[in-house]
Amino acid sequence: MKECKIRNDWTLDEVQEIYTLPLMELVFRATEVHRSNHPIGQIQVCQLLSIKTGACSEDCSYCSQSSRYETEVKVEKLMPPEEVYSLAKTAKEAGATRFCMGAAWREVKDNADFEKVLAMVRSVRSLGLEVCTTLGMVDGKQAERLKEAGLTSYNHNIDTSKDYYKEVISTRTYEDRLRTLKNIQEAGITICSGGIIGMGESELDRMKMLQALANLEVHPGSVPINALVPIKGTPMEGKPRVSVFEMVRMIATARILMPKSKVRLSAGRVLMNETEQGLCFIAGANSIFSGDKLLTTQNTALDQDARIFQIWGLSPMTADPVAVEGRAQEVFA
Ligand code: SAM
Ligand code: DTB
Ligand code: SF4
């Protein structure tokens, strides 16, 4: 396999050159990079679960869970660890190899709820699953405790470009996000970081976001590319739907800039048919969220996923043995 050199010094001009290629050429190049760095046709299947829903203090203008907006989300306090364990077991039986737990928190606090989350991490990990959480901001000590509990990955999206960030969220900064990513990486946990398109940002913002991710000292282990799910009651409710070609362009560019990372076709999948999702896999996506629900919105149903896998000859990737052994950092060293 011809391995690609991993770079983290991409200039904006270089990113633009790639991003603006004719789509056919862009996809062709992305497929080449994909083939050289990943087994073709193997898709990471991550089951997502909202362990604490709604009533979040942040004002992220895309989010159904912010307390600032009147949305249809039902607030639910932190789930009991036993219930989470049982759902993780079911997810494993259904073929997931990574279990991701999301909490509508601004940040982790050193309280009983954090202890419960640590217990969840331990128990999910004991099933031989990769474990990911997304809990908002964490400090260095909290990151270390998550690592000790067996966390293999932490999701914290940069969401958009530094310039556009302030149009989307006012209650925390881009730098806050980057600090958490650093704390997580320093604790030896692989980061999962990506963003959303369709929030009114320009194409240049999209390129800048990809450039920021690709220029992190260590690339994210996975890069979720989300299409905005417009939520009734939020400032973004009326945004037009992202086209599949915009998703393909983002995925292909991410694949070329970050050859070894998993690129996840994330929110928005439910609105894409088998052909459209297939195009995203051809463009270099090799990871999905599975299950009927993402955090609060609908996802592609399991039987539809089975059909997509069958049509395109895809198979679920096995859990990363290194990550599951607790040596996640070495995967991307
Ligand atoms: N509270 C934590 C945080 O903000 O990091 C974790 C949960 S948060 C819901 C995780 C990510 O989901 C966000 O950073 C955003 O990228 C994505 N997301 C949330 N709502 C979305 C929506 N309506 N459409 C697309 N992506 C969304
Ligand atoms: C990510 O990038 N996408 C997921 C996960 N990380 C936590 C969340 C998508 C949320 C979509 C809207 C919802 O279901 O509330
Ligand atoms: Fe809260 Fe996360 Fe939603 Fe922002 S994205 S409002 S931090 S749950």
Side-chain angles (χ1 to χ4, degrees), residues 62 103 105 134 136 156-157 159 177 196 226-229 231 267 295:
Y62 48 76
W105 287 334
T134 179
H156 202 63
N157 291 340
D159 280 343
R177 285 308 256 193
I196 310 176
N226 296 279
L228 175 76
V229 182
I231 308 280
L295 289 173

Side-chain angles (χ1 to χ4, degrees), residues 56-60 62-63 65-66 103-106 172 177:
C56 182
S57 62
E58 299 293 88
D59 69 353
C60 311
Y62 48 76
C63 189
Q65 305 195 67
S66 164
W105 287 334
R106 168 186 168 73
R172 53 159 200 255
R177 285 308 256 193

Side-chain angles (χ1 to χ4, degrees), residues 118-151:
L118 293 169
M120 292 173 197
V121 171
R122 277 183 220 107
S123 75
V124 174
R125 181 63 193 279
S126 75
L127 290 168
L129 288 164
E130 294 178 31
V131 197
C132 183
T133 55
T134 179
L135 314 167
M137 294 183 275
V138 296
D139 64 26
K141 182 82 194 81
Q142 291 162 342
E144 276 168 28
R145 294 202 65 203
L146 285 164
K147 170 75 183 171
E148 273 161 29
L151 193 77

